[in-house]
RNA sequence: GGAAGAGUGGCAGAGCUGGUUGAAUGCACCGGUCUUGAAAACCGGCGUGCGGGAAACCGUACCGGGGGUUCGAAUCCCUCCUCUUCCGCCA
């Protein structure tokens, strides 16, 4: 959520930013509406404070009058309070309405894209930030997609997942499970040696947390909801990990805060059936190691670049062809100011698969989280939050299986051999 | 799941027979005096949101969350949440 003050002070900048997301001139009226409502809110607040102040001092008078036995005077003051009271109740209702109205509209305004974000409406408009410089691997005609390889080597069982749970819940077995576990450890080790604090968070969160990082209301339908207990299965570790700092006021010397966490991620993917859902391409439960940073606004873009480097380093070690896209305005998540997607090339499918998404949310999340720091001016300011996948597993496994298939079996990249305990999967 | 008790500022801990209590006191923290330096001692400062103001500062709200009683509530009532102890169950 953006601050009204920001919209007020940077109206034109906000508008041109939202145009990149495909906002029409008509949509942009929202900004002026918000400012108008906020003006009304301020006015009501001012009046209400005055009325409350009167009630307060009259009540104090009544107290002393009673103490000195002046009951009739006290009673007449009580009558006076009654009229103020009616007025304060009215103003309180008005204030609540203005606040709710304001909040509602503010929720519908996405983050303002960073200056460098290209405008555009679809993924076609995404900009290639860094491209794989080598030739893409070309497999011969007999090459198999990962779901066939998985069945052949009996390492991932899709029908079994259907039996136990439903579509999109694969079962990893034997060397498949071992590969999965090895990759998780590999990613966590790389993150912790880069200075991230390892966290094992709850996999289920309450409504406040889901709201804090913006899953509610933006992506509510994406989460599994446990209605009986009003809890949500996490769609990413970002939610519980970032919420560690909900309602916190940091010192400037606390920056940067770096955390990493491995969790399974649960996504309903409602409406995604039919397209790109084969095998591991899109599943309801997958494993992911996430990196999260909380930064001073002055440093958050340097930090973003260091996170990009971190993720790139992982892909290099995995020897996978990758490319980095800078998302265009229309493809950007609503909370994000800038997002870089990492895709790996899955050679048998001849498809690019998204395996990481690294974003700077600037103050959009911290505003809802009430995550602040005390600046050198002794005032509180919103911190910047950033996060990225490092990395999302299911699709990495898909690319690994496809790209590394040989007549003897699946070759395991050197960097992770120590983690999985074998160099050939057969 | 059942019973009892408790939730106050960064922490500890008063207040809780309703009335200048946003809240005593101690610790921590920040600034200053003193000191070669440090410690100690002493002096001063020290919550958050909203609104007004150029600012100093002022108004208002907040004592787990929400609601109620009252002219007035941290203090009384209802409800929810959390924690502690005891019983039950259990990896």
């Amino acid at each position: 959520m953006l601050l009204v003050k920001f919209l007020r002070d940077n109206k034109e900048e906000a508008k041109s930013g939202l145009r990149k997301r495909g906002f029409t001139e008509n949509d942009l009226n929202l900004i002026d509406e918000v400012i108008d409502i906020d003006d009304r809110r301020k006015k009501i607040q001012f009046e209400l404070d005055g009325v409350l102040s009167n009630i307060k001092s009259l009540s104090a008078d009544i107290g002393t009058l009673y103490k000195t036995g002046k009951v009739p005077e006290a009673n007449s003051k009580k009558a006076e309070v009654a009229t103020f009271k009616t007025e304060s109740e009215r103003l309180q209702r008005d204030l609540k309405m203005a606040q709710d109205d304001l909040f509602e509209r503010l929720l519908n305004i996405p983050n303002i894209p960073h200056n460098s974000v290209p405008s555009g409406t679809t993924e076609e408009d995404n900009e290639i930030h860094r491209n794989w410089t080598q030739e893409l691997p070309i497999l011969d005609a007999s090459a198999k997609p990962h779901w066939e390889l998985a069945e052949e080597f009996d390492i991932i069982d899709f029908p079994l997942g259907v039996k136990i749970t439903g579509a999109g819940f694969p079962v990893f077995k034997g060397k498949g499970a071992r590969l999965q576990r090895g990759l998780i450890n590999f990613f966590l080790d790389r993150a912790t040696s880069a200075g991230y604090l390892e966290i094992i968070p709850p996999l289920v969160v309450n409504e406040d947390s889901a709201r804090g990082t913006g899953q509610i209301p933006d992506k509510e339908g994406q989460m599994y909801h446990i209605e009986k207990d009003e809890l949500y299965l996490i769609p990413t570790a970002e939610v519980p990990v970032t919420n560690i700092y909900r309602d916190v006021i940091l010192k400037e010397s606390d920056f940067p805060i770096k955390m990493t966490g491995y969790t399974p991620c649960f996504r309903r993917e409602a409406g995604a059936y039919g397209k790109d859902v084969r095998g591991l391409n899109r599943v309801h439960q997958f494993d992911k190691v996430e990196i999260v940073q909380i930064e001073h606004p002055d440093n958050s873009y340097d930090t973003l670049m260091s996170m990009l480097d971190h993720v790139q380093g992982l892909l290099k070690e995995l020897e996978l062809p990758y490319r980095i896209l800078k998302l265009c305005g229309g493809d950007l998540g609503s909370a994000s100011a800038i997002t870089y997607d990492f895709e790996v090339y899955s050679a048998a499918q001849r498809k690019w698969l998204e395996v990481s998404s690294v974003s700077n949310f600037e103050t959009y999340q911290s505003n809802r989280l009430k995550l602040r720091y005390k600046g050198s001016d002794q005032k509180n300011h919103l911190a910047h939050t950033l996060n990225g996948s490092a990395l999302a597993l299911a699709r990495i496994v898909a690319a690994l299986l496809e790209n590394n298939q040989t007549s003897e079996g699946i070759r395991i990249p050197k960097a992770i051999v120590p983690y999985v305990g074998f160099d050939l999967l057969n």
mmCIF file of all heavy atoms in Angstrom, chain B residues 80-91:
data_model
loop_
_atom_site.group_PDB
_atom_site.id
_atom_site.type_symbol
_atom_site.label_atom_id
_atom_site.label_comp_id
_atom_site.label_asym_id
_atom_site.label_seq_id
_atom_site.Cartn_x
_atom_site.Cartn_y
_atom_site.Cartn_z
ATOM 1 P P C B 80 -15.650 -15.903 23.954
ATOM 2 O OP1 C B 80 -16.228 -17.171 23.439
ATOM 3 O OP2 C B 80 -15.205 -15.810 25.357
ATOM 4 O "O5'" C B 80 -14.449 -15.478 23.013
ATOM 5 C "C5'" C B 80 -14.601 -15.451 21.590
ATOM 6 C "C4'" C B 80 -13.453 -14.709 20.967
ATOM 7 O "O4'" C B 80 -13.425 -13.342 21.475
ATOM 8 C "C3'" C B 80 -12.065 -15.238 21.306
ATOM 9 O "O3'" C B 80 -11.707 -16.355 20.518
ATOM 10 C "C2'" C B 80 -11.204 -14.023 20.986
ATOM 11 O "O2'" C B 80 -11.016 -13.842 19.602
ATOM 12 C "C1'" C B 80 -12.074 -12.888 21.535
ATOM 13 N N1 C B 80 -11.744 -12.562 22.934
ATOM 14 C C2 C B 80 -10.631 -11.730 23.175
ATOM 15 O O2 C B 80 -9.981 -11.310 22.215
ATOM 16 N N3 C B 80 -10.309 -11.429 24.457
ATOM 17 C C4 C B 80 -11.040 -11.906 25.466
ATOM 18 N N4 C B 80 -10.679 -11.576 26.707
ATOM 19 C C5 C B 80 -12.159 -12.743 25.246
ATOM 20 C C6 C B 80 -12.477 -13.046 23.975
ATOM 21 P P C B 81 -10.640 -17.422 21.106
ATOM 22 O OP1 C B 81 -10.577 -18.558 20.164
ATOM 23 O OP2 C B 81 -10.938 -17.655 22.534
ATOM 24 O "O5'" C B 81 -9.258 -16.614 21.020
ATOM 25 C "C5'" C B 81 -8.731 -16.218 19.759
ATOM 26 C "C4'" C B 81 -7.485 -15.382 19.982
ATOM 27 O "O4'" C B 81 -7.823 -14.179 20.719
ATOM 28 C "C3'" C B 81 -6.414 -16.038 20.837
ATOM 29 O "O3'" C B 81 -5.621 -16.940 20.085
ATOM 30 C "C2'" C B 81 -5.622 -14.832 21.313
ATOM 31 O "O2'" C B 81 -4.769 -14.327 20.303
ATOM 32 C "C1'" C B 81 -6.739 -13.820 21.570
ATOM 33 N N1 C B 81 -7.210 -13.825 22.959
ATOM 34 C C2 C B 81 -6.419 -13.179 23.937
ATOM 35 O O2 C B 81 -5.355 -12.642 23.591
ATOM 36 N N3 C B 81 -6.827 -13.166 25.224
ATOM 37 C C4 C B 81 -7.982 -13.769 25.553
ATOM 38 N N4 C B 81 -8.350 -13.721 26.842
ATOM 39 C C5 C B 81 -8.791 -14.431 24.603
ATOM 40 C C6 C B 81 -8.381 -14.437 23.323
ATOM 41 P P U B 82 -4.939 -18.188 20.809
ATOM 42 O OP1 U B 82 -4.320 -19.020 19.755
ATOM 43 O OP2 U B 82 -5.926 -18.780 21.750
ATOM 44 O "O5'" U B 82 -3.782 -17.512 21.667
ATOM 45 C "C5'" U B 82 -2.680 -16.880 21.029
ATOM 46 C "C4'" U B 82 -1.841 -16.172 22.059
ATOM 47 O "O4'" U B 82 -2.646 -15.160 22.729
ATOM 48 C "C3'" U B 82 -1.336 -17.039 23.200
ATOM 49 O "O3'" U B 82 -0.168 -17.764 22.827
ATOM 50 C "C2'" U B 82 -1.047 -16.001 24.271
ATOM 51 O "O2'" U B 82 0.152 -15.311 24.015
ATOM 52 C "C1'" U B 82 -2.226 -15.039 24.083
ATOM 53 N N1 U B 82 -3.355 -15.343 24.963
ATOM 54 C C2 U B 82 -3.277 -14.913 26.284
ATOM 55 O O2 U B 82 -2.305 -14.321 26.719
ATOM 56 N N3 U B 82 -4.366 -15.201 27.069
ATOM 57 C C4 U B 82 -5.505 -15.878 26.678
ATOM 58 O O4 U B 82 -6.402 -16.059 27.497
ATOM 59 C C5 U B 82 -5.513 -16.297 25.304
ATOM 60 C C6 U B 82 -4.461 -16.026 24.514
ATOM 61 P P C B 83 0.184 -19.124 23.583
ATOM 62 O OP1 C B 83 1.291 -19.757 22.838
ATOM 63 O OP2 C B 83 -1.070 -19.877 23.817
ATOM 64 O "O5'" C B 83 0.732 -18.632 24.996
ATOM 65 C "C5'" C B 83 1.956 -17.927 25.088
ATOM 66 C "C4'" C B 83 2.130 -17.408 26.497
ATOM 67 O "O4'" C B 83 1.001 -16.551 26.835
ATOM 68 C "C3'" C B 83 2.108 -18.472 27.588
ATOM 69 O "O3'" C B 83 3.378 -19.096 27.733
ATOM 70 C "C2'" C B 83 1.730 -17.649 28.813
ATOM 71 O "O2'" C B 83 2.824 -16.918 29.313
ATOM 72 C "C1'" C B 83 0.703 -16.686 28.219
ATOM 73 N N1 C B 83 -0.680 -17.157 28.358
ATOM 74 C C2 C B 83 -1.317 -16.967 29.600
ATOM 75 O O2 C B 83 -0.686 -16.429 30.514
ATOM 76 N N3 C B 83 -2.603 -17.374 29.760
ATOM 77 C C4 C B 83 -3.248 -17.949 28.735
ATOM 78 N N4 C B 83 -4.504 -18.322 28.944
ATOM 79 C C5 C B 83 -2.627 -18.163 27.476
ATOM 80 C C6 C B 83 -1.351 -17.749 27.327
ATOM 81 P P U B 84 3.471 -20.607 28.291
ATOM 82 O OP1 U B 84 4.869 -21.057 28.118
ATOM 83 O OP2 U B 84 2.360 -21.400 27.711
ATOM 84 O "O5'" U B 84 3.175 -20.416 29.843
ATOM 85 C "C5'" U B 84 4.093 -19.707 30.675
ATOM 86 C "C4'" U B 84 3.556 -19.644 32.088
ATOM 87 O "O4'" U B 84 2.325 -18.861 32.097
ATOM 88 C "C3'" U B 84 3.131 -20.982 32.679
ATOM 89 O "O3'" U B 84 4.245 -21.689 33.210
ATOM 90 C "C2'" U B 84 2.147 -20.550 33.760
ATOM 91 O "O2'" U B 84 2.802 -20.087 34.914
ATOM 92 C "C1'" U B 84 1.433 -19.384 33.068
ATOM 93 N N1 U B 84 0.190 -19.782 32.393
ATOM 94 C C2 U B 84 -0.963 -19.906 33.171
ATOM 95 O O2 U B 84 -0.972 -19.715 34.370
ATOM 96 N N3 U B 84 -2.094 -20.260 32.490
ATOM 97 C C4 U B 84 -2.197 -20.504 31.127
ATOM 98 O O4 U B 84 -3.288 -20.801 30.660
ATOM 99 C C5 U B 84 -0.975 -20.368 30.399
ATOM 100 C C6 U B 84 0.148 -20.024 31.041
ATOM 101 P P U B 85 4.242 -23.305 33.196
ATOM 102 O OP1 U B 85 5.598 -23.751 33.587
ATOM 103 O OP2 U B 85 3.658 -23.762 31.908
ATOM 104 O "O5'" U B 85 3.219 -23.665 34.354
ATOM 105 C "C5'" U B 85 3.542 -23.371 35.720
ATOM 106 C "C4'" U B 85 2.348 -23.654 36.598
ATOM 107 O "O4'" U B 85 1.256 -22.762 36.231
ATOM 108 C "C3'" U B 85 1.741 -25.038 36.445
ATOM 109 O "O3'" U B 85 2.437 -26.023 37.201
ATOM 110 C "C2'" U B 85 0.322 -24.812 36.987
ATOM 111 O "O2'" U B 85 0.287 -24.788 38.387
ATOM 112 C "C1'" U B 85 0.017 -23.420 36.432
ATOM 113 N N1 U B 85 -0.700 -23.469 35.148
ATOM 114 C C2 U B 85 -2.087 -23.633 35.198
ATOM 115 O O2 U B 85 -2.696 -23.736 36.241
ATOM 116 N N3 U B 85 -2.711 -23.673 33.982
ATOM 117 C C4 U B 85 -2.108 -23.571 32.739
ATOM 118 O O4 U B 85 -2.803 -23.619 31.729
ATOM 119 C C5 U B 85 -0.686 -23.417 32.770
ATOM 120 C C6 U B 85 -0.047 -23.371 33.950
ATOM 121 P P C B 86 2.455 -27.542 36.671
ATOM 122 O OP1 C B 86 3.425 -28.291 37.495
ATOM 123 O OP2 C B 86 2.589 -27.537 35.188
ATOM 124 O "O5'" C B 86 0.982 -28.032 37.027
ATOM 125 C "C5'" C B 86 0.602 -28.263 38.386
ATOM 126 C "C4'" C B 86 -0.871 -28.590 38.467
ATOM 127 O "O4'" C B 86 -1.644 -27.482 37.919
ATOM 128 C "C3'" C B 86 -1.331 -29.778 37.621
ATOM 129 O "O3'" C B 86 -1.060 -31.026 38.232
ATOM 130 C "C2'" C B 86 -2.826 -29.499 37.515
ATOM 131 O "O2'" C B 86 -3.514 -29.852 38.694
ATOM 132 C "C1'" C B 86 -2.839 -27.981 37.333
ATOM 133 N N1 C B 86 -2.869 -27.612 35.904
ATOM 134 C C2 C B 86 -4.105 -27.625 35.234
ATOM 135 O O2 C B 86 -5.121 -27.940 35.869
ATOM 136 N N3 C B 86 -4.161 -27.300 33.920
ATOM 137 C C4 C B 86 -3.044 -26.977 33.279
ATOM 138 N N4 C B 86 -3.146 -26.664 31.994
ATOM 139 C C5 C B 86 -1.770 -26.958 33.927
ATOM 140 C C6 C B 86 -1.730 -27.274 35.227
ATOM 141 P P C B 87 -0.803 -32.314 37.304
ATOM 142 O OP1 C B 87 -0.431 -33.440 38.188
ATOM 143 O OP2 C B 87 0.078 -31.918 36.194
ATOM 144 O "O5'" C B 87 -2.257 -32.603 36.710
ATOM 145 C "C5'" C B 87 -3.284 -33.173 37.517
ATOM 146 C "C4'" C B 87 -4.558 -33.305 36.724
ATOM 147 O "O4'" C B 87 -4.966 -32.008 36.200
ATOM 148 C "C3'" C B 87 -4.490 -34.166 35.461
ATOM 149 O "O3'" C B 87 -4.520 -35.555 35.733
ATOM 150 C "C2'" C B 87 -5.735 -33.694 34.723
ATOM 151 O "O2'" C B 87 -6.911 -34.248 35.260
ATOM 152 C "C1'" C B 87 -5.691 -32.192 34.997
ATOM 153 N N1 C B 87 -5.014 -31.465 33.892
ATOM 154 C C2 C B 87 -5.753 -31.195 32.736
ATOM 155 O O2 C B 87 -6.918 -31.571 32.674
ATOM 156 N N3 C B 87 -5.137 -30.558 31.700
ATOM 157 C C4 C B 87 -3.867 -30.189 31.801
ATOM 158 N N4 C B 87 -3.329 -29.553 30.777
ATOM 159 C C5 C B 87 -3.095 -30.446 32.975
ATOM 160 C C6 C B 87 -3.699 -31.078 33.996
ATOM 161 P P G B 88 -3.800 -36.560 34.691
ATOM 162 O OP1 G B 88 -3.949 -37.932 35.237
ATOM 163 O OP2 G B 88 -2.455 -36.036 34.389
ATOM 164 O "O5'" G B 88 -4.681 -36.442 33.381
ATOM 165 C "C5'" G B 88 -5.990 -37.028 33.332
ATOM 166 C "C4'" G B 88 -6.618 -36.746 31.995
ATOM 167 O "O4'" G B 88 -6.688 -35.312 31.788
ATOM 168 C "C3'" G B 88 -5.850 -37.246 30.780
ATOM 169 O "O3'" G B 88 -6.088 -38.629 30.537
ATOM 170 C "C2'" G B 88 -6.412 -36.361 29.677
ATOM 171 O "O2'" G B 88 -7.669 -36.792 29.238
ATOM 172 C "C1'" G B 88 -6.541 -35.018 30.407
ATOM 173 N N9 G B 88 -5.350 -34.189 30.219
ATOM 174 C C8 G B 88 -4.342 -33.937 31.110
ATOM 175 N N7 G B 88 -3.404 -33.159 30.634
ATOM 176 C C5 G B 88 -3.835 -32.877 29.342
ATOM 177 C C6 G B 88 -3.238 -32.082 28.325
ATOM 178 O O6 G B 88 -2.181 -31.446 28.372
ATOM 179 N N1 G B 88 -4.002 -32.081 27.168
ATOM 180 C C2 G B 88 -5.182 -32.740 26.997
ATOM 181 N N2 G B 88 -5.769 -32.612 25.808
ATOM 182 N N3 G B 88 -5.764 -33.481 27.935
ATOM 183 C C4 G B 88 -5.028 -33.504 29.067
ATOM 184 P P C B 89 -4.901 -39.520 29.908
ATOM 185 O OP1 C B 89 -5.396 -40.903 29.823
ATOM 186 O OP2 C B 89 -3.648 -39.223 30.628
ATOM 187 O "O5'" C B 89 -4.778 -38.948 28.427
ATOM 188 C "C5'" C B 89 -5.772 -39.218 27.449
ATOM 189 C "C4'" C B 89 -5.456 -38.479 26.189
ATOM 190 O "O4'" C B 89 -5.349 -37.054 26.478
ATOM 191 C "C3'" C B 89 -4.108 -38.816 25.546
ATOM 192 O "O3'" C B 89 -4.160 -39.995 24.762
ATOM 193 C "C2'" C B 89 -3.866 -37.574 24.692
ATOM 194 O "O2'" C B 89 -4.620 -37.583 23.512
ATOM 195 C "C1'" C B 89 -4.382 -36.466 25.625
ATOM 196 N N1 C B 89 -3.289 -35.894 26.445
ATOM 197 C C2 C B 89 -2.454 -34.932 25.855
ATOM 198 O O2 C B 89 -2.658 -34.601 24.682
ATOM 199 N N3 C B 89 -1.452 -34.396 26.585
ATOM 200 C C4 C B 89 -1.258 -34.785 27.843
ATOM 201 N N4 C B 89 -0.256 -34.233 28.518
ATOM 202 C C5 C B 89 -2.081 -35.764 28.469
ATOM 203 C C6 C B 89 -3.074 -36.299 27.742
ATOM 204 P P C B 90 -2.870 -40.959 24.719
ATOM 205 O OP1 C B 90 -3.253 -42.174 23.988
ATOM 206 O OP2 C B 90 -2.274 -41.050 26.062
ATOM 207 O "O5'" C B 90 -1.869 -40.127 23.799
ATOM 208 C "C5'" C B 90 -2.143 -39.938 22.424
ATOM 209 C "C4'" C B 90 -1.226 -38.905 21.865
ATOM 210 O "O4'" C B 90 -1.303 -37.694 22.669
ATOM 211 C "C3'" C B 90 0.258 -39.247 21.893
ATOM 212 O "O3'" C B 90 0.631 -40.087 20.812
ATOM 213 C "C2'" C B 90 0.889 -37.862 21.784
ATOM 214 O "O2'" C B 90 0.861 -37.372 20.467
ATOM 215 C "C1'" C B 90 -0.054 -37.031 22.665
ATOM 216 N N1 C B 90 0.443 -36.904 24.052
ATOM 217 C C2 C B 90 1.392 -35.904 24.316
ATOM 218 O O2 C B 90 1.770 -35.173 23.407
ATOM 219 N N3 C B 90 1.859 -35.774 25.589
ATOM 220 C C4 C B 90 1.433 -36.590 26.545
ATOM 221 N N4 C B 90 1.924 -36.419 27.762
ATOM 222 C C5 C B 90 0.476 -37.612 26.284
ATOM 223 C C6 C B 90 0.009 -37.741 25.041
ATOM 224 P P A B 91 1.990 -40.901 20.862
ATOM 225 O OP1 A B 91 1.795 -42.148 20.113
ATOM 226 O OP2 A B 91 2.441 -40.919 22.259
ATOM 227 O "O5'" A B 91 2.998 -39.984 20.055
ATOM 228 C "C5'" A B 91 2.927 -39.940 18.627
ATOM 229 C "C4'" A B 91 4.002 -39.016 18.121
ATOM 230 O "O4'" A B 91 3.650 -37.655 18.420
ATOM 231 C "C3'" A B 91 5.343 -39.195 18.804
ATOM 232 O "O3'" A B 91 6.097 -40.198 18.130
ATOM 233 C "C2'" A B 91 6.010 -37.832 18.672
ATOM 234 O "O2'" A B 91 6.849 -37.747 17.543
ATOM 235 C "C1'" A B 91 4.832 -36.889 18.453
ATOM 236 N N9 A B 91 4.738 -35.867 19.502
ATOM 237 C C8 A B 91 4.536 -36.012 20.831
ATOM 238 N N7 A B 91 4.515 -34.881 21.496
ATOM 239 C C5 A B 91 4.727 -33.921 20.501
ATOM 240 C C6 A B 91 4.825 -32.523 20.537
ATOM 241 N N6 A B 91 4.709 -31.800 21.642
ATOM 242 N N1 A B 91 5.058 -31.883 19.372
ATOM 243 C C2 A B 91 5.174 -32.608 18.251
ATOM 244 N N3 A B 91 5.095 -33.922 18.088
ATOM 245 C C4 A B 91 4.878 -34.524 19.270
#
